[in-house]
Amino acid sequence: MQYSWKNVPRYIRYVFVQTLYLFLLMVMFRAIFYFFFFKTTITDSAVIAKAWYLGLKFDLRLALILIIPLALTAVIARNRLFTSKAIRRGVFIYLFLAFTLLTLLYILDLGHYDYLGIRLDPSILRFLAKGERADNARMVWQSYPVVRGTLAIFVFLFLLHRLQRRTWNHFAAQPVILLRNWPFTGYVTGLTLLIGAGIYANFAYFPLRWSQAMFTRDNGVTSLGLNPILYFFSNFSVKGDTFDLEKTKQYYPYIAQYLKVDQPDAAQLNFVRSFPGDSSRPRLNVVLVMLESTGAAPTSMYNNPMQATPHMQRLADSGVLFRNFYVPAISTAKTVFGVTTGLPDITAVKTASRHPKMLDQRIVMDQFKGYEKMYLLGGNTNWANIRAVFTNNVEGIRIYEEGMYKSPKADVWGISDYDLITEASGMFKAENDQKKPFIAFLQLADNHPPYTTTSGAGDFKKLTEKDIDMEKFKKSGFVSIDQFNALRYEDYNVGHLIDMARKDGYLDNTVFVFFGDHNCILNPYTFMPLPEYQLATGGVHVTAFMYAPGHLQPQVVNTPGSLLDIYPTVAGMVGMPYKNYTLGVNLFDTAYANNKYVFMTYIRNQQPYYAVIGDRYLYEINFSTNTPALYDLQGDPLKNVQAQQPDTAKNLDNLTRAFYESTRYLMFNNKK
């Protein structure tokens, strides 16, 4: 074997060795992903082995794609590869760039997966948006060991550089083998066939495709089977968000009937519903509290073993708990846009708040006549261009952000939630004392990396592993003690808000609406009524409850709700007359009690879906393949029953597509 290897020209052997180096680098990062980031509900070792097998084939494909420029240089230059200074310099520069970019992209992918639970995809470009790069950079600085990580990367790249020089010197010192035309042609043909076969990577009529990694319903297994860099570029799209007028008109009758539009008109695409209001109702203050990264599963109200949110539990028990409440997408910016406008943010790469043509909307908050309107954020409202969502659509709204508070900044997200609530309550008290009703959007942020917590009033204490039952913790889904403590801190601040409202005198004439913007990243969990971790609906199933002592009777609402419904619901509670131009409904409107569906989007097995969920059924459509599926949530919720229930599937297909096409249209055409 050694004799045969030595008889291969050194420039071809050099290509093989560099291919091996590239492949081993990817295998190393695959192992890091497997041992430190991989989570799954599947215990079958054969399934895991298959994911590894597919993943290694993807890794080899990428290695071979990257080696093509070097292989071409080698067969053209032959032995001059080791004697020409210009060629050597070019080879060194190319390999340095290839190994460096691979290393940085893999590290970025691991961070992306740790943060969002999915492999690298084009949506990461939103973090590079102008005006918020600095905030995102500060978040990374405060959440991760940037200095140590950078030093580790430099050391690693230095070692790679040393390895490259030794490898070059090793081959340059070996004897020159001169080949005649036919033997040389044979080597080139063999090299070409080997590279081509490795890139094709399949014993089938079609080449290896990333969809083959999605052979289970488990996101962890799928992620293990993919090569994140190939996956990123295969799904990269520069198509802009738009709408299809003909499809909107095609499905308009279904959404108009569902929403009970006043005067359905498929030609004019009228979505308006008018509500006269009720002057006999008290003009209660309204405080909307967005709970950062607070899904349903981590909280006490949904039977999480750790019972981390006793204050929320107390308020939900005394108010209205919406047990099945969903957001349209996993994104804070998309949630703020959605709850404010009544439209799901279904933009593909960026968010609607960053899209100039989507920022002119007719919204319910603007119709709270006689109310002082406020938006309060501990950080900067240039984040995701959120400022424009409010200032462009709500006349007279007062924006409060960092630099306007007395409290100092706590981290990249601005002042602490405790300080934000303390200062916000003072503003609410001032309005209430002047007998001015107010509606306020209060956005919390500390339940988010870097998970900054303060001592609050001096009585908030972090817990450690010694303080908790680790067996329960493992079953709870929490990925770290820091994440657990951050949720406890958020719960503590919810209690603080109610205490301040009582102290400042506006508790009894205010309705508080608490809702999560999306779920946090969790380990697999099984304590929820539905297998939402496997369905991927857990990411958009969030905590939601209302608290208004003396104005709301304690109850649990099982009818599905959406953040699109929040403003219509509170407008109804305070008797405010309004016109609804978009897709939310009043959650207390009995007309929807037995026919309420919620629109959502989610990613399962790296595939994007849009769907509707109701009391019994979940109907989803794959964004990429247009493949639909129907799940009976009262039967086997993981079994597609589309074939067994074709009528139900057809009705829900029309409604799902109507939600989707109407949203695309209204995002551009709901202008004031």
Side-chain angles (χ1 to χ4, degrees):
M1 182 67 185
Q2 184 178 4
Y3 177 79
S4 300
W5 175 248
K6 288 290 186 181
N7 278 273
V8 175
R10 57 181 180 168
Y11 48 87
I12 292 181
R13 280 184 283 138
Y14 182 75
V15 171
F16 276 108
V17 169
Q18 291 297 343
T19 305
L20 179 62
Y21 287 167
L22 288 166
F23 178 69
L24 290 177
L25 178 69
M26 298 177 209
V27 173
M28 180 189 75
F29 278 105
R30 183 169 297 281
I32 291 172
F33 174 83
Y34 178 76
F35 287 111
F36 298 102
F37 297 87
F38 177 67
K39 314 180 237 225
T40 182
T41 57
I42 293 178
T43 57
D44 187 351
S45 59
V47 173
I48 308 300
K50 182 176 180 180
W52 264 97
Y53 169 69
L54 290 170
L56 292 174
K57 290 208 294 183
F58 280 115
D59 293 345
L60 181 59
R61 168 184 280 178
L62 180 56
L64 290 169
I65 290 172
L66 292 173
I67 210 66
I68 289 175
L70 178 61
L72 287 172
T73 302
V75 297
I76 293 172
R78 302 198 195 187
N79 286 299
R80 286 191 299 116
L81 186 72
F82 299 100
T83 58
S84 169
K85 291 183 178 180
I87 294 176
R88 180 180 64 182
R89 187 179 299 110
V91 168
F92 271 34
I93 291 173
Y94 175 76
L95 291 175
F96 174 79
L97 291 175
F99 280 95
T100 299
L101 288 174
L102 276 178
T103 300
L104 295 177
L105 285 172
Y106 268 102
I107 291 171
L108 182 62
D109 169 68
L110 294 176
H112 189 265
Y113 191 90
D114 182 61
Y115 186 35
L116 295 174
I118 57 176
R119 303 310 291 260
L120 199 63
D121 68 25
S123 68
I124 196 173
L125 297 177
R126 70 184 186 273
F127 295 114
L128 299 177
K130 184 178 180 181
E132 41 188 305
R133 297 173 192 140
D135 283 346
N136 291 324
R138 283 194 293 271
M139 187 275 286
V140 171
W141 176 265
Q142 295 173 12
S143 302
Y144 301 99
V146 175
V147 175
R148 285 179 293 161
T150 302
L151 289 174
I153 292 171
F154 273 111
V155 171
F156 180 70
L157 293 176
F158 173 76
L159 294 175
L160 277 178
H161 174 70
R162 292 292 300 272
L163 176 64
Q164 289 292 345
R165 292 193 68 86
R166 288 178 63 110
T167 302
W168 178 275
N169 292 335
H170 172 74
F171 282 97
Q174 291 186 4
V176 174
I177 298 175
L178 299 175
L179 296 177
R180 296 179 181 272
N181 289 339
W182 281 112
F184 174 74
T185 301
Y187 276 115
V188 172
T189 302
L191 182 64
T192 302
L193 290 175
L194 286 173
I195 292 176
I199 293 173
Y200 193 87
N202 233 8
F203 297 101
Y205 179 75
F206 51 87
L208 180 69
R209 293 174 179 164
W210 51 263
S211 58
Q212 289 177 247
M214 298 163 188
F215 63 94
T216 71
R217 297 175 57 88
D218 188 89
N219 183 65
V221 171
T222 299
S223 299
L224 180 63
L226 291 169
N227 177 287
I229 298 170
L230 286 176
Y231 180 73
F232 175 88
F233 285 103
S234 65
N235 286 278
F236 189 85
S237 173
V238 295
K239 293 181 180 179
D241 292 291
T242 185
F243 63 93
D244 188 319
L245 185 59
E246 292 305 313
K247 285 188 176 180
T248 305
K249 291 181 177 181
Q250 176 186 347
Y251 291 105
Y252 172 81
Y254 304 103
I255 197 70
Q257 181 182 17
Y258 173 79
L259 293 174
K260 300 174 176 53
V261 170
D262 293 345
Q263 297 177 338
D265 187 335
Q268 297 297 319
L269 294 175
N270 177 35
F271 288 83
V272 180
R273 290 95 70 207
S274 300
F275 299 88
D278 185 351
S279 59
S280 67
R281 289 181 176 270
R283 287 293 190 261
L284 300 174
N285 305 315
V286 179
V287 178
L288 277 61
V289 184
M290 198 205 80
L291 305 168
E292 172 65 47
S293 302
T294 307
T299 60
S300 303
M301 299 81 77
Y302 301 85
N303 302 316
N304 187 285
M306 291 307 295
Q307 295 292 295
T309 58
H311 294 289
M312 296 185 197
Q313 177 82 66
R314 171 174 57 86
L315 299 180
D317 289 345
S318 303
V320 179
L321 173 66
F322 299 98
R323 189 168 291 281
N324 297 298
F325 194 91
Y326 297 87
V327 297
I330 301 177
S331 165
T332 301
K334 291 189 175 190
T335 285
V336 175
F337 180 88
V339 69
T340 306
T341 65
L343 292 173
D345 183 347
I346 55 174
T347 48
V349 176
K350 294 187 177 182
T351 60
S353 61
R354 298 174 171 102
H355 200 306
K357 294 183 179 179
M358 297 179 183
L359 285 175
D360 187 359
Q361 299 288 334
R362 294 178 291 182
I363 67 177
V364 176
M365 185 185 189
D366 187 47
Q367 300 176 54
F368 271 67
K369 303 303 179 184
Y371 274 68
E372 294 296 315
K373 305 175 185 71
M374 293 177 270
Y375 172 62
L376 303 99
L377 177 70
N380 192 299
T381 55
N382 284 339
W383 157 78
N385 197 35
I386 287 300
R387 182 196 307 273
V389 174
F390 292 96
T391 57
N392 198 50
N393 298 306
V394 185
E395 184 178 357
I397 191 167
R398 288 148 47 189
I399 302 288
Y400 295 92
E401 58 183 326
E402 67 179 21
M404 303 175 71
Y405 303 109
K406 298 176 183 177
S407 305
K409 285 187 65 172
D411 59 21
V412 61
W413 304 122
I415 68 174
S416 72
D417 284 350
Y418 182 86
D419 290 336
L420 175 62
I421 287 170
T422 302
E423 297 202 33
S425 188
M427 300 173 199
F428 301 160
K429 179 182 186 304
E431 299 299 330
N432 189 69
D433 289 348
Q434 296 179 50
K435 308 300 181 183
K436 293 181 180 178
F438 62 87
I439 181 167
F441 190 120
L442 179 63
Q443 182 171 334
L444 305 185
D446 284 342
N447 187 29
H448 185 293
Y451 295 135
T452 299
T453 61
T454 70
S455 60
D459 54 347
F460 178 77
K461 307 295 182 185
K462 288 185 179 182
L463 298 179
T464 67
E465 292 186 9
K466 296 179 181 179
D467 303 316
I468 62 177
D469 184 337
M470 290 305 295
E471 287 301 315
K472 287 185 178 180
F473 187 81
K474 291 176 182 177
K475 296 176 182 178
S476 68
F478 288 104
V479 299
S480 70
I481 298 295
D482 284 342
Q483 184 191 52
F484 171 62
N485 277 317
L487 180 61
R488 291 182 57 247
Y489 179 64
E490 181 180 67
D491 179 71
Y492 171 88
N493 285 315
V494 167
H496 175 53
L497 173 60
I498 300 304
D499 290 342
M500 291 296 297
R502 183 179 295 108
K503 174 186 172 185
D504 289 337
Y506 59 88
L507 176 63
D508 294 335
N509 62 331
T510 302
V511 54
F512 295 87
V513 185
F514 298 87
F515 59 95
D517 63 335
H518 55 78
N519 206 349
C520 53
I521 294 299
L522 294 172
N523 285 323
Y525 56 91
T526 58
F527 53 82
M528 297 293 278
L530 293 175
E532 61 180 35
Y533 188 90
Q534 292 90 332
L535 286 168
T537 57
V540 291
H541 184 196
V542 300
T543 291
F545 56 94
M546 300 176 70
Y547 181 68
H551 303 284
L552 284 173
Q553 293 298 316
Q555 62 175 306
V556 175
V557 176
N558 291 310
T559 301
S562 167
L563 60 81
L564 309 181
D565 306 326
I566 288 178
Y567 276 105
T569 301
V570 295
M573 281 193 65
V574 303
M576 180 63 61
Y578 69 98
K579 290 185 177 181
N580 193 341
Y581 300 93
T582 52
L583 304 180
V585 302
N586 186 338
L587 288 168
F588 296 127
D589 188 340
T590 56
Y592 296 94
N594 299 315
N595 190 38
K596 180 73 163 64
Y597 283 90
V598 170
F599 181 84
M600 64 179 70
T601 62
Y602 48 81
I603 294 177
R604 186 176 66 244
N605 291 354
Q606 303 293 313
Q607 287 284 279
Y609 295 86
Y610 63 100
V612 294
I613 191 169
D615 290 323
R616 179 171 181 179
Y617 294 105
L618 169 68
Y619 188 85
E620 68 179 18
I621 300 172
N622 188 303
F623 266 114
S624 302
T625 65
N626 205 35
T627 305
L630 174 69
Y631 304 98
D632 186 344
L633 304 179
Q634 296 178 12
D636 181 352
L638 297 177
K639 180 182 179 181
N640 182 3
V641 295
Q642 181 184 7
Q644 290 76 28
Q645 301 190 44
D647 292 340
T648 299
K650 180 61 177 175
N651 290 335
L652 291 182
D653 185 83
N654 288 331
L655 182 60
T656 305
R657 296 182 191 277
F659 262 112
Y660 177 66
E661 297 299 341
S662 298
T663 298
R664 296 173 70 203
Y665 172 80
L666 286 168
M667 291 175 88
F668 289 94
N669 296 281
N670 184 40
K671 300 183 186 301
K672 293 182 284 296

